[in-house]
Amino acid sequence: MESLLVPTAEAVPFLSKPFSAAPILRIPTPAPSLPRRNFSVAAAVQMSSKEAKLWGGRFEDSVTAAVEKFTESISFDKALYKHDIMGSRAHASMLARQGLITDDDRDEILGGLDAIEGQIERGEFVWRTDREDVHMNIEAALTDLVGEPAKKLHTARSRNDQVCTDFRLWCRDSVDLIVSRIRNLQVALVNLALKNESLIVPGYTHMQRAQPVLLPHLLLAYVEQLERDALRLLDCRTRINFCPLGACALAGTGLPIDRFMTSEALGFTAPMRNSIDAVSDRDFVLEFLSANSITAIHLSRLGEEWVLWASEEFGFITPSDSVSTGSSIMPQKKNPDPMELVRGKSARVIGDLVTLLVLCKGLPHAYNRDLQEDKEPVFDSVKAIMGMLEVSAEFADNITFNQERIRAALPAGHLDATTLADYLVKKGIPFRTSHDIVGRSVGFCVSRNCRLEDLSLDELRSISPTFDKDVYEFLGVEKSIKNFSSYGSTGSECVSNQLDYWVAKLELSRKREGSS
């Protein structure tokens, strides 16, 4: 799933204005008439056995092979290549506007960056571990291509602010992708609710039968939770969207750069105000992974519920073969493995957050090399959450609710007991007294092995003379559902209103039951 590691921004269809971004400044490209070098990366890269480091001016000895292997990050941070090139384009254009490099230098740099990006995307670029990371690989390759102009690109820039800029751009795009996947799962759940609009299922507390609920009401509970997940991510995005570029190593620079220009060119809201803060803090990553972890927990709970409901003991749902797996030894088995893995992968996402929290907890200001370890947990978290959202939507599209099995299971558990207590409250009985009366009524049913609705009026009156013949309008799960009327409750009209809201918000079509 390589594409997950190099996300591109996508629109979020169900939010008309998911965020407010600064206008993008167009970065100039070379005019066709300008002389250009032959930008062939494969031909230009000189594969020496031990290349001098770009930072190695004061060093007499090369690092050992063990140190080089231990400290390299190119094996994973090459995922940032697109964003690194974006930042370099903006930086080169700013340097030219400020007179720190010439327009010709800028055009050489931009042309070289275009060539390198093309080589990477075609799989022709040679990533070198002796060049340590994505930044040094691209800069060294650019120097091989265009020579002296490339050496000017790092003017008023450090790898410290460069990597923070790349990472914020990557996280910003990842948020957009995750929110889009959340939307897809919401659509799948709402469509599933529409297909089963009048189906009543047992509602549980403490894993014990509690009250009857409409299935759409239960499914929409997950839709609501996912909406908060999306809003958390978009709120996090607003704090991601500030630009560290130009903060340099930690103290800024004495050169006349324009940080507002580069910030605008990259679509950031503004440059970060404090250069030390810009390069040293990873709270934007912690917040991002925290939001991912909450989403993962919601998906894990959905997975747990559907795994239980697919069991022989429940039998409430049947997943199609296309989203099930079998057993290597038991030929009869049909397992809901995708949702078990959703449940399992939530542990990874939570673990990624804990890794980052522990990584950051003891770091002094400003930048420390420990922060190289922030990339892999974030990449892992995004890859996992994207997969979890995708497969959950796929599963929702490929399950069937076993309506007859569910209806046969409804009578057990006296699910209408609370509704019966409400009936007595409407008759003027204090709730605590009503609770006691209904409790004794249930006890009577248990001794007779019958339902509340099976009790005769005389039997009910033997428990409380308040009962009258209108009590039967409150007994049974269907009548119980009809008596729920508070805002947000499981009553038919309330749930219908909830469905109308989500159909409109997600821009779906709704065919009401009974319509032609």
Side-chain angles (χ1 to χ4, degrees), residues 60-77:
E60 295 181 2
D61 297 325
S62 299
V63 297
T64 68
V67 169
E68 185 165 85
K69 182 179 179 181
F70 186 70
T71 58
E72 67 84 20
S73 60
I74 190 58
S75 56
F76 54 86
D77 70 12

Side-chain angles (χ1 to χ4, degrees), residues 41-54:
V41 175
V45 174
Q46 302 298 315
M47 295 298 293
S48 60
S49 60
K50 181 68 74 171
E51 182 178 72
K53 305 294 185 184
L54 294 180

Side-chain angles (χ1 to χ4, degrees), residues 41-274:
V41 175
V45 174
Q46 302 298 315
M47 295 298 293
S48 60
S49 60
K50 181 68 74 171
E51 182 178 72
K53 305 294 185 184
L54 294 180
W55 44 260
R58 77 173 296 276
F59 289 80
E60 295 181 2
D61 297 325
S62 299
V63 297
T64 68
V67 169
E68 185 165 85
K69 182 179 179 181
F70 186 70
T71 58
E72 67 84 20
S73 60
I74 190 58
S75 56
F76 54 86
D77 70 12
K78 62 186 177 182
L80 301 173
Y81 81 88
K82 186 177 291 292
H83 303 92
D84 193 72
I85 290 171
M86 285 172 59
S88 291
R89 286 185 180 124
H91 190 65
S93 297
M94 181 275 294
L95 291 176
R97 180 180 289 187
Q98 296 302 107
L100 292 168
I101 64 173
T102 67
D103 288 350
D104 286 345
D105 288 339
R106 175 201 63 204
D107 294 340
E108 291 278 359
I109 290 168
L110 295 179
L113 291 171
D114 288 345
I116 290 169
E117 184 174 36
Q119 290 281 332
I120 294 171
E121 291 179 349
R122 291 191 298 273
E124 299 169 2
F125 189 84
V126 180
W127 297 104
R128 296 177 52 164
T129 56
D130 60 332
R131 289 176 173 176
E132 299 181 16
D133 57 31
V134 63
H135 324 293
M136 301 299 270
N137 263 264
I138 290 174
E139 184 179 339
L142 185 65
T143 302
D144 292 337
L145 280 172
V146 305
E148 287 300 310
K151 296 179 181 180
K152 301 177 183 180
L153 177 58
H154 212 54
T155 303
R157 186 174 74 170
S158 164
R159 276 192 293 176
N160 295 358
D161 62 329
Q162 190 177 357
V163 68
C164 289
T165 302
D166 296 356
F167 208 20
R168 283 178 180 267
L169 289 169
W170 191 93
C171 289
R172 186 179 72 183
D173 287 351
S174 296
V175 166
D176 293 339
L177 280 174
I178 294 169
V179 169
S180 180
R181 291 285 176 93
I182 288 174
R183 188 262 186 189
N184 292 340
L185 177 53
Q186 287 179 307
V187 168
L189 291 171
V190 171
N191 282 331
L192 194 58
L194 291 170
K195 291 177 185 176
N196 299 274
E197 193 165 347
S198 60
L199 181 60
I200 301 171
V201 297
Y204 294 83
T205 63
H206 308 279
M207 277 305 295
Q208 303 296 313
R209 291 183 171 222
Q211 292 177 280
V213 297
L214 285 168
L215 175 63
H217 193 216
L218 178 60
L219 294 174
L220 291 180
Y222 287 108
V223 175
E224 294 282 355
Q225 291 160 17
L226 288 165
E227 180 70 1
R228 291 193 296 274
D229 293 334
L231 292 175
R232 258 187 295 273
L233 284 161
L234 290 170
D235 190 47
C236 167
R237 191 190 195 282
T238 64
R239 282 174 288 283
I240 291 173
N241 203 39
F242 286 85
C243 186
L245 195 58
C248 298
L250 79 160
T253 179
L255 296 170
I257 62 172
D258 185 349
R259 293 188 62 212
F260 288 89
M261 177 184 170
T262 49
S263 174
E264 183 180 10
L266 294 169
F268 285 112
T269 303
M272 297 184 72
R273 281 190 297 267
N274 185 292

